[in-house]
Amino acid sequence: MSSTTHMALVLGDQLDLENPALQALRVFETPPSSAGLVIMLESLGEAQVVWNHKARIALFLSAMRHFHLTLQQAGYAVLYQTLAQSTHHGLAHDLSQYIQAHKISHLHLTCPGDYRILLEVQAICKQLAVTLIVYEDSHFLCAQPDFTRWAAKKNTLRMEFFYREMRKRYRVLLDEKGQPEGGQWNYDAENRQGFPKAGPGLIPEPQWFSPDMITQKVFDEVNARFANHPGDLTAFRWPVTRNQALEALAIFIKHRLPQFGLYQDAMWTDIPFAWHALLSSSLNLHLLHPLEVIQQVEQAWKKGDVSLASAEGFIRQILGWREFIRGVYWLDMPKMAKANYYNHQRALPVWFWTAKTKMVCMQQTIGQTLRYGYAHHIQRLMVTGNFALLAELLPQQVASWYLAVYVDAVEWVELPNVAGMALFANGGRFTSKPYIASGAYIKRMSNYCQGCSYNPTQRSGKTACPITVLYWYFLHRHELAMAANPRTALMAKNLSRIPADERFSIMETAQGLLENLDHL
C-alpha cells in the first residue's frame, strides 16, 4: 500500500460508483488489476463548521459507512477514517496526514459541493507538493464550463430560459417536433394550490427505512459526541443506501407524485411532508442520479399515471432549478457568501433553535425542522426565509442556520437558495424581485393562522401578525425601489393607499418587534 502514489478522495456527498475521481483512479493505478487507493474521512471538524442538526450528521455518516462497504465490494482498497480517529483540525488537516503517510504524489478529487473544501484541499496539496486533479462532477447535467458560457451570453440570469435549454438538450417532455408537450414550457398555473378548507385528507406515507445496525451505531456516536447539537434522531428514517433511495423514488412516483404538483406549495399543521418527494437528500448525496429521476417521472406521465402539470412541475425543480442553482453557486463564489444587499445586521432569534415562539407558522416549520431535519421549499422560502428577510437578519447567520438544520443541505444548493432567493442578499442577481409576503399569503396557503396569537390581517398593534407588520414596514423602507420594479409595483401602490397615521402605527409596531425578536 505504501507504494501507491495515486489516491482518490471521496467526500460525504459523492457516494456514487460513477464518481469521476474513482473512475480516473483505475486509469492511473499500477498494477492495472488493482482498483486503487480511496480515502474517505469522517471529520469532527466538518460536523462542527456550523451547529449541525444531529440528523444531518447521522445521515452523512451512515451513508458514508454504507458506501464504504459498497467500495470494498467493488474491489477498491479504502482508507476510512472514523470519527474516533478524526482530529478537531478539520478534513484538510486529516487528509494531509494520510497523504504524507502513504507518500501520495497525485490526489484525484471530483469537484466538491462546498467552495471552502476545494480551497482547503488545494492549499494542502500545494503545501505538500502533491498534484491535485479536480474533475467536473458528472452527477450534474450541466457542466460548470457550459453554465459559465451560457451565463456569459445573458444580461440577466433567469432559471426559466436555462430550463428550456436543458429540456431541449436532454429531450425531456418534448414532442416529435421538439416543442414542449402540451404546448407550454411551464404549468405553474395548474399547480401550487392550497389544501381544501376541510384539510389535506389522507396522504400516502413516504417510504421510510428502519435504521440498521450501522445506522444505530452512528446514532450512538452522534448522541455521545454532539449531545448539545440541535434536533434529535428518534424520527430518523432517511435512505442511506442507493437501493433504499431507488425504493423511495419508486414509491413516490407511484403514490405521491400524482398530487405533488397541485399541492406542492400547501402547508398544514402537523403535516410535515404532504405530497413531497423527500428525495433531495438522496440526490445531494449522489445516491440517485438526477437523470434517472427525471426519466422515471417522464415515463410515469407517458403511461398516464400522472398529469403533465405534476410531472413538469417536479422535473422543473430538478432539471431547471437544481442545475441552475449549482451553476450560479460556482459562478458567483466567494462573493455570494459575503453578500448583504440591504445591509441587514440583526441576530438570528433564539427560537430558530427551539421553535418556542407564539407564531404558529414558525412553530410548525421550525418544529418539524428540528424533529426531522426537513421542511419543504415553501416553508423554507415563504415562512422562515420570508421572516428572515423582513426581520432584517444578517444573511450569513441565516445561511449558517439553513446549512445546519436540513439533512439535504450542501452549500452549493443551500447558499444560493438562501442568499439569492430567500434573502435577496445578492441584489437580484438571478431573481427579479424580493420574495416577500404578508401573513395573508400564509393564511391562504395553510391553516397555520387558525388559533394563532397574532392576526394576519392586522398591520399594527399588539396582536398584529409580525410577518404582516414587517412586510408593510419593508415596503415603507424600500418604497421607491419597489415602485420602480414592475413585479413589485403593485405592492408599492397598495402601500401608497395607507393613510399617514396608519403608516406611523405600522412603523412604531415594527420597530418594537425588531427590538424584541427573541420574544415574538
Side-chain angles (χ1 to χ4, degrees):
M1 196 70 69
S2 62
S3 63
T4 300
T5 58
H6 288 264
M7 175 187 282
L9 171 61
V10 173
L11 299 173
D13 60 341
Q14 298 177 344
L15 310 181
D16 176 11
L17 286 174
E18 300 303 313
N19 183 328
L22 291 175
Q23 297 301 308
L25 197 63
R26 291 185 177 273
V27 175
F28 287 101
E29 183 57 31
T30 301
S33 60
S34 172
L37 184 62
V38 179
I39 185 165
M40 297 182 69
L41 301 168
E42 294 182 8
S43 170
L44 288 168
E46 287 302 307
Q48 298 173 94
V49 168
V50 290
W51 198 31
N52 274 299
H53 194 301
K54 291 175 184 174
R56 183 172 186 260
I57 301 172
L59 176 64
F60 274 77
L61 295 184
S62 178
M64 288 173 68
R65 292 183 186 185
H66 282 90
F67 189 66
H68 175 204
L69 298 180
T70 300
L71 286 173
Q72 290 179 319
Q73 292 165 3
Y76 287 96
V78 186
L79 291 171
Y80 192 94
Q81 174 182 276
T82 64
L83 280 183
Q85 299 166 313
S86 173
T87 71
H88 286 275
H89 298 294
L91 184 144
H93 174 273
D94 291 352
L95 174 63
S96 70
Q97 306 303 305
Y98 287 94
I99 288 175
Q100 293 175 80
H102 292 272
K103 298 181 173 59
I104 301 302
S105 62
H106 292 73
L107 182 68
H108 302 266
L109 173 66
T110 295
C111 185
D114 189 314
Y115 182 83
R116 171 186 57 84
I117 293 293
L118 179 59
L119 292 186
E120 289 180 358
V121 173
Q122 287 174 334
I124 286 295
C125 288
K126 183 178 181 180
Q127 176 185 331
L128 299 178
V130 170
T131 300
L132 174 64
I133 307 167
V134 180
Y135 301 91
E136 181 65 33
D137 193 340
S138 60
H139 176 83
F140 293 93
L141 300 176
C142 183
Q144 192 56 39
D146 292 343
F147 185 88
T148 301
R149 283 190 290 270
W150 174 84
K153 300 174 185 177
K154 305 297 179 183
N155 293 326
T156 56
L157 301 182
R158 294 292 180 264
M159 186 279 288
E160 181 66 28
F161 303 112
F162 170 80
Y163 167 59
R164 294 179 187 184
E165 291 195 21
M166 293 294 285
R167 285 265 296 271
K168 293 175 184 176
R169 180 188 301 185
Y170 287 93
R171 296 202 57 79
V172 174
L173 295 179
L174 297 182
D175 62 22
E176 64 279 0
K177 296 181 180 179
Q179 297 301 308
E181 293 285 4
Q184 298 174 218
W185 290 104
N186 186 313
Y187 284 86
D188 255 1
E190 297 182 29
N191 292 333
R192 304 181 180 279
Q193 296 184 22
F195 289 126
K197 289 185 179 179
L202 293 177
I203 301 175
E205 276 288 304
Q207 182 61 42
W208 294 124
F209 301 93
S210 296
D212 62 9
M213 291 182 63
I214 292 174
T215 304
Q216 290 285 0
K217 185 174 180 181
V218 167
F219 288 177
D220 292 342
E221 292 183 47
V222 170
N223 284 325
R225 293 179 179 275
F226 308 104
N228 68 332
H229 279 233
D232 63 61
L233 297 171
T234 56
F236 187 102
R237 298 291 186 273
W238 297 103
V240 294
T241 69
R242 173 160 171 77
N243 285 340
Q244 288 181 345
L246 287 169
E247 186 178 345
L249 170 62
I251 294 298
F252 165 68
I253 291 175
K254 183 176 181 179
H255 295 295
R256 297 162 66 79
L257 178 60
Q259 297 298 317
F260 164 79
L262 191 62
Y263 296 122
Q264 63 180 292
D265 287 7
M267 300 174 284
W268 203 262
T269 53
D270 301 320
I271 303 291
F273 308 115
W275 295 93
H276 287 266
L278 311 184
L279 298 173
S280 55
S281 63
S282 296
L283 280 163
N284 293 354
L285 293 178
H286 295 191
L287 301 177
L288 292 174
H289 192 283
L291 191 58
E292 70 182 329
V293 176
I294 291 165
Q295 289 172 339
Q296 289 190 39
V297 170
E298 184 177 26
Q299 189 61 32
W301 167 72
K302 288 180 177 178
K303 291 191 299 183
D305 294 339
V306 300
S307 69
L308 179 58
S310 196
E312 187 279 320
F314 184 78
I315 286 172
R316 182 165 9 107
Q317 290 192 5
I318 298 177
L319 185 58
W321 191 249
R322 187 173 185 272
E323 295 286 331
F324 177 82
I325 280 293
R326 192 253 183 175
V328 170
Y329 174 79
W330 285 106
L331 191 67
D332 285 1
M333 283 298 283
K335 62 182 178 181
M336 180 187 291
K338 303 173 184 177
N340 191 353
Y341 179 74
Y342 291 116
N343 194 31
H344 288 168
Q345 300 292 331
R346 297 185 187 277
L348 196 75
V350 293
W351 44 261
F352 263 70
W353 300 104
T354 65
K356 294 179 180 179
T357 168
K358 291 182 289 184
M359 289 184 283
V360 173
C361 60
M362 302 298 279
Q363 286 177 15
Q364 286 286 314
T365 299
I366 296 176
Q368 75 173 62
T369 294
L370 294 174
R371 178 166 172 74
Y372 301 104
Y374 172 82
H376 71 65
H377 65 280
I378 289 300
Q379 292 174 312
R380 299 190 203 193
L381 176 64
M382 299 307 299
V383 180
T384 50
N386 181 40
F387 178 86
L389 173 55
L390 298 177
E392 304 175 357
L393 303 187
L394 180 68
Q396 288 68 35
Q397 283 196 8
V398 179
S400 291
W401 181 80
Y402 277 93
L403 186 60
V405 298
Y406 291 115
V407 296
D408 57 7
V410 183
E411 194 182 66
W412 69 262
V413 65
E414 171 274 319
L415 184 59
N417 274 304
V418 174
M421 186 75 172
L423 302 183
F424 205 74
N426 62 357
R429 167 76 161 139
F430 56 85
T431 56
S432 57
K433 68 182 181 76
Y435 279 84
I436 58 169
S438 71
Y441 172 85
I442 295 174
K443 182 180 180 181
R444 184 170 72 251
M445 297 305 299
S446 75
N447 71 334
Y448 291 164
C449 299
Q450 295 177 15
C452 184
S453 300
Y454 298 109
N455 184 344
T457 64
Q458 193 174 330
R459 294 188 286 222
S460 62
K462 291 184 178 180
T463 58
C465 171
I467 292 176
T468 298
V469 176
L470 296 176
Y471 166 81
W472 290 105
Y473 182 64
F474 182 93
L475 291 180
H476 170 79
R477 290 191 62 207
H478 304 287
E479 185 172 4
L480 292 178
M482 302 296 275
N485 184 338
R487 295 203 64 194
T488 56
L490 182 59
M491 295 179 180
K493 189 173 182 179
N494 290 336
L495 175 69
S496 69
R497 297 191 178 106
I498 298 177
D501 59 340
E502 187 178 354
R503 274 215 205 191
F504 180 81
S505 295
I506 291 170
M507 293 170 59
E508 190 174 46
T509 303
Q511 288 163 3
L513 292 173
L514 291 171
E515 291 170 5
N516 292 277
L517 291 176
D518 283 340
H519 304 290
L520 297 183

